Amino acid sequence: MSGKGTTIQEVARVAGVSTATVSRTLSNPDLVRDGTKKAVLAAVEKTGYRINRAAQNLRKQQAGAILVLLPDLGNPFFSQILSGIESVLTTSDLSVLITDASGIKQSQLVGYFQDTRADGIIILDGAIPHGVLKELIEVVPDNRAVFACEWKPDTKLPSIRSDNQGGAHQAVAHLVELGHRKIGHVLGPRGNVLTKERLTGFERAMLEFDIDINSNWLIDGGEFSLEAGAQAARQFIELDELPTAIFCAADLIAMGLISEFAKHGISVPNDVSVIGFDDIAIAYRFIPSLTTIRQNRIQLGVLAATTLMNSLSGRSMPAENNVQLVDVLLVERESTAPLS
Amino acid sequence: MSGKGTTIQEVARVAGVSTATVSRTLSNPDLVRDGTKKAVLAAVEKTGYRINRAAQNLRKQQAGAILVLLPDLGNPFFSQILSGIESVLTTSDLSVLITDASGIKQSQLVGYFQDTRADGIIILDGAIPHGVLKELIEVVPDNRAVFACEWKPDTKLPSIRSDNQGGAHQAVAHLVELGHRKIGHVLGPRGNVLTKERLTGFERAMLEFDIDINSNWLIDGGEFSLEAGAQAARQFIELDELPTAIFCAADLIAMGLISEFAKHGISVPNDVSVIGFDDIAIAYRFIPSLTTIRQNRIQLGVLAATTLMNSLSGRSMPAENNVQLVDVLLVERESTAPLS
DNA sequence: GCAAAATCTGTAATCGATTACATAATCATT
DNA sequence: AATGATTATGTAATCGATTACAGATTTTGC
């Protein structure tokens, strides 16, 4: 009944068997005879037994938890990915530890593994410093880390990501279809892989559509944030000529840009069309509602968690350079319009 | 050097002392002589020893983690609170487990304590069902749970919350100051404590300013979400007369409302002023930028974590019905304007 | 310099589950 | 019914840290 502090010994006593049998019944039922099994389960029920994770973890030399490393807990982009991760991991007995890379010291990160607080890690932050990652990989076996969303090009950890190039390409294609040929691009953080991929997709599309890239219209946002977009808007305004359409590397950038444009009397989409990337929740309700490239964030989370779980349980060894690409989707809304 | 799997035994051997001394040096240095201490620390350094948490937790009968229960991981409102919580707990050796109430079954929640995966819990979800909470309180000692942001009126757990009534009052006062007297209110989820408090603040202010409340303008949003706001807008539009100002129980509601108004040609703040509650990041960049009541989310998180930590470590017993009220702040932006 | 008090350190039990190995029970075969 | 093969269960060591208790060492007071 009480359940308070019942141990496996207690259950064994009640069921009239040894602790070994109780343990087997619970974790490897095939090994025990039906009658015994029933007796044990009855005893478990009666005593309200719950396993002691600390003891189990100590014995099995595991942590029972996986760590999720976010670049920024404050960015709404990540919450749905977390949902996806959670939904997978809670079906197993793994807990989810979440930590914010911004505040963390590198030794802390490695520490999670060294003192067995985490069995694996999902890295959502491609900006993780080289040194930290190197140290991490020394301590953490290959099969215990995966990248999701972002990644580091020169590592061989598995990576789950959206089709960023394809998305950027779709964005440009959409703008071209609307008649635009004066197209700008606000990039994300310098050096970020997503920035690079989306830029590559942008360039490929421009080449394909035979449009010259005007380097004045290629603006370095510096980060995936509202303020980065606002800052980019100010830079655009200083120019002699504005593009007629702008592809932003993130929804937050796009919204910051549109907002700052609005403050200067530049109207989207009348004066300029803007397309974002991500499709965060607010995009649909922004004014104007934001045309964007939707990332399937739930699926990114689910795949990352599944990949890690499988590889932890040894069910499938991750291939080196194993990349899972998740499709993106153009969502047409009101921030883009035909060239008038 | 390696650090891989060095145990306290190894350190003891290297330092030429017993494991007891190593343990004491690390967790209770006052008990050991300076010379010995130095030798032990040198050995720790040399071997790269990291404590094994599972072993420590087992022996100390603790989990080394606290659980944060969110109503909805997808809501950006919570991320900063998490930052606050994290910042406090990582300074101690506690890990942060995060879980989403929406998907969780009640037994799972209690399970975190029964199998010693969590030492304490921060509940950010006042909508937690009565049954679950009751069960939780039976299992979890009083000093191991705190409410943050939301709470249940009929429990005596400590609670850290914003001054919701005061905030609502400020919101109305702001509107009245701008000359408005036809004031509406979009409520949050039915039965939610925040909804009630903010409604009470609204009513108190209206009474104080001697304005009758028009029940047509009191609209039940149903949840704290963009769609709730949009739905409320549609209800307003059906009415014979619109209020000149609307206080929304959350920023998301306000933005949904404004967005839907815009789709119907109703302009904010020209046709109607709108004020929100929370001051989430996007509020400043929404078009129009949103006048709102700012909650100090970081501080809410910090206080919640600090309160729980103190009470876990026995440093301060939480008083029953211990409520810490955090001040809110009116942030004037462009979604409210003088009555024309 | 010596006894008593105070401080430091070591021995070994303990936390609760898992599992290698040994033993017991059951089954299959002739 | 006897044998060997198979399956089920029990015994006890183990994971790595903490801590009660005892024993050793140092300090204090005179």
Side-chain angles (χ1 to χ4, degrees):
Chain A
M1 316 277 167
S2 130
K4 260 300 178 44
T6 25
T7 71
I8 201 172
Q9 329 284 341
E10 175 73 1
V11 176
R13 209 180 47 69
V14 172
V17 299
S18 73
T19 61
T21 300
V22 176
S23 178
R24 283 189 279 252
T25 304
L26 264 24
S27 58
N28 221 336
D30 289 349
L31 292 179
V32 16
R33 191 180 302 164
D34 272 2
T36 324
K37 205 180 319 191
K38 204 166 293 175
V40 170
L41 293 177
V44 166
E45 180 77 17
K46 186 169 166 201
T47 56
Y49 170 71
R50 302 305 303 293
I51 199 170
N52 182 312
R53 296 284 170 194
Q56 184 180 49
N57 290 339
L58 171 59
R59 180 58 226 238
K60 296 180 100 173
Q61 300 283 64
Q62 58 173 26
I66 72 100
L67 185 66
V68 178
L69 183 69
L70 296 178
D72 173 15
L73 249 174
N75 187 330
F77 175 74
F78 296 105
S79 47
Q80 267 188 35
I81 299 177
L82 288 178
S83 286
I85 292 174
E86 276 252 320
S87 69
V88 173
L89 293 179
T90 50
T91 63
S92 71
D93 275 323
L94 291 166
S95 303
V96 180
L97 298 172
I98 297 180
T99 196
D100 189 320
S102 60
I104 210 167
K105 276 171 295 178
Q106 76 173 73
S107 51
Q108 284 183 324
L109 191 56
V110 176
Y112 274 96
F113 292 89
Q114 292 179 325
D115 60 13
T116 47
R117 270 181 301 168
D119 293 319
I121 181 170
I122 297 178
I123 306 172
L124 289 167
D125 181 11
I128 180 174
H130 247 299
V132 179
L133 188 63
K134 191 153 159 275
E135 194 191 5
L136 193 66
I137 290 177
E138 273 170 24
V139 175
V140 183
D142 270 11
N143 63 333
R144 291 163 169 264
V146 308
F147 278 109
C149 299
E150 304 195 5
W151 68 97
K152 278 271 204 222
D154 43 357
T155 63
K156 45 194 184 185
L157 298 178
S159 160
I160 288 79
R161 41 176 116 153
S162 290
D163 180 8
N164 290 287
Q165 275 198 35
H169 189 281
Q170 279 185 60
V172 173
H174 168 68
L175 296 175
V176 169
E177 206 162 282
L178 290 172
H180 296 280
R181 301 194 56 89
K182 298 180 178 175
I183 301 177
H185 177 35
V186 182
L187 323 215
R190 193 182 282 281
N192 181 288
V193 279
L194 301 179
T195 301
K196 286 181 198 156
E197 289 282 304
R198 291 170 194 172
L199 175 59
T200 304
F202 174 80
E203 290 170 337
R204 261 189 26 219
M206 295 289 271
L207 189 67
E208 183 176 319
F209 295 117
D210 203 23
I211 309 176
D212 285 341
I213 293 178
N214 180 334
S215 65
N216 287 328
W217 296 339
L218 229 45
I219 292 192
D220 191 7
E223 46 179 27
F224 293 124
S225 71
L226 291 163
E227 278 322 301
Q231 175 58 32
R234 279 176 232 121
Q235 284 184 247
F236 272 118
I237 290 169
E238 304 251 304
L239 298 177
D240 293 336
E241 187 189 13
L242 238 50
T244 66
I246 301 172
F247 163 50
C248 295
D251 282 355
L252 285 177
I253 295 179
M255 294 191 276
L257 180 93
I258 295 174
S259 159
E260 189 70 14
F261 272 165
K263 288 191 206 293
H264 292 80
I266 299 171
S267 157
V268 173
N270 299 334
D271 301 324
V272 51
S273 283
V274 174
I275 182 169
F277 205 108
D278 289 346
D279 195 25
I280 60 178
I282 188 81
Y284 173 61
R285 285 291 170 187
F286 200 71
I287 303 171
S289 64
L290 197 67
T291 297
T292 188
I293 304 295
R294 174 180 297 163
Q295 293 199 59
N296 192 334
R297 284 137 78 208
I298 296 275
Q299 202 192 350
L300 286 167
V302 168
L303 282 179
T306 313
T307 304
L308 183 58
M309 254 187 55
N310 286 342
S311 118
L312 284 182
S313 65
R315 236 171 298 166
S316 75
M317 243 5 220
E320 287 199 0
N321 288 310
N322 170 15
V323 174
Q324 297 178 61
L325 224 53
V326 175
D327 280 342
V328 296
L329 179 72
L330 170 69
V331 182
E332 299 184 40
R333 299 211 183 95
E334 296 162 357
S335 66
T336 51
L339 185 63
S340 47
Chain B
M1 317 277 167
S2 132
K4 258 303 177 38
T6 24
T7 71
I8 199 171
Q9 330 282 341
E10 175 72 1
V11 177
R13 209 180 48 70
V14 171
V17 300
S18 73
T19 62
T21 299
V22 176
S23 177
R24 281 190 281 252
T25 304
L26 263 25
S27 56
N28 220 338
D30 290 349
L31 293 179
V32 13
R33 190 181 304 164
D34 272 5
T36 324
K37 207 181 317 194
K38 204 167 292 176
V40 170
L41 292 176
V44 166
E45 179 77 16
K46 185 169 169 199
T47 56
Y49 170 70
R50 300 307 303 291
I51 199 169
N52 181 311
R53 295 285 170 192
Q56 183 181 50
N57 290 338
L58 171 59
R59 178 58 226 235
K60 296 179 98 172
Q61 299 283 64
Q62 61 174 26
I66 73 101
L67 184 65
V68 178
L69 182 69
L70 295 177
D72 174 15
L73 249 173
N75 187 331
F77 175 74
F78 296 104
S79 47
Q80 268 189 31
I81 299 178
L82 287 178
S83 287
I85 292 174
E86 277 251 322
S87 69
V88 172
L89 293 179
T90 49
T91 62
S92 71
D93 274 324
L94 291 166
S95 304
V96 180
L97 299 172
I98 297 180
T99 195
D100 189 320
S102 61
I104 210 169
K105 276 173 295 176
Q106 74 173 75
S107 49
Q108 284 183 324
L109 191 54
V110 176
Y112 274 95
F113 292 89
Q114 292 180 325
D115 60 13
T116 47
R117 269 182 300 169
D119 292 319
I121 181 170
I122 297 178
I123 307 172
L124 290 167
D125 181 11
I128 179 176
H130 247 297
V132 178
L133 188 62
K134 190 153 159 275
E135 195 190 5
L136 192 66
I137 289 178
E138 273 170 23
V139 174
V140 183
D142 269 12
N143 64 332
R144 289 162 169 264
V146 307
F147 277 109
C149 297
E150 303 197 5
W151 68 96
K152 277 272 204 223
D154 44 357
T155 62
K156 45 194 184 186
L157 298 178
S159 161
I160 289 78
R161 42 175 114 152
S162 289
D163 180 8
N164 292 285
Q165 275 197 35
H169 189 282
Q170 279 185 61
V172 174
H174 169 67
L175 296 175
V176 169
E177 206 161 280
L178 291 172
H180 296 279
R181 300 194 56 89
K182 297 180 178 177
I183 301 176
H185 177 37
V186 183
L187 322 215
R190 194 182 280 281
N192 180 288
V193 281
L194 302 178
T195 302
K196 286 180 197 156
E197 289 281 304
R198 291 170 194 173
L199 175 59
T200 304
F202 175 79
E203 289 170 339
R204 261 190 26 219
M206 293 292 270
L207 189 67
E208 183 176 317
F209 295 116
D210 203 22
I211 309 177
D212 285 340
I213 293 177
N214 180 335
S215 66
N216 286 330
W217 295 340
L218 228 46
I219 291 191
D220 190 8
E223 45 180 26
F224 294 123
S225 71
L226 291 163
E227 277 323 300
Q231 175 58 32
R234 279 176 232 118
Q235 283 182 249
F236 272 117
I237 290 168
E238 303 252 305
L239 298 177
D240 294 336
E241 187 189 12
L242 238 49
T244 65
I246 301 173
F247 164 50
C248 295
D251 283 353
L252 285 177
I253 295 179
M255 295 191 278
L257 180 95
I258 295 173
S259 158
E260 189 70 14
F261 272 165
K263 288 191 205 294
H264 291 81
I266 299 172
S267 155
V268 173
N270 299 334
D271 300 323
V272 51
S273 284
V274 173
I275 182 170
F277 204 108
D278 289 346
D279 195 25
I280 60 178
I282 187 81
Y284 173 61
R285 284 292 169 188
F286 200 70
I287 303 173
S289 64
L290 197 66
T291 298
T292 188
I293 304 296
R294 174 181 297 163
Q295 294 198 59
N296 193 333
R297 284 137 78 207
I298 296 274
Q299 202 193 350
L300 286 167
V302 167
L303 282 179
T306 314
T307 303
L308 183 58
M309 255 186 56
N310 285 342
S311 116
L312 283 182
S313 65
R315 236 170 300 163
S316 75
M317 243 5 220
E320 288 199 358
N321 288 311
N322 171 15
V323 173
Q324 297 177 62
L325 224 53
V326 175
D327 280 341
V328 295
L329 179 71
L330 170 69
V331 182
E332 297 183 42
R333 300 208 184 96
E334 296 163 356
S335 66
T336 51
L339 185 63
S340 49

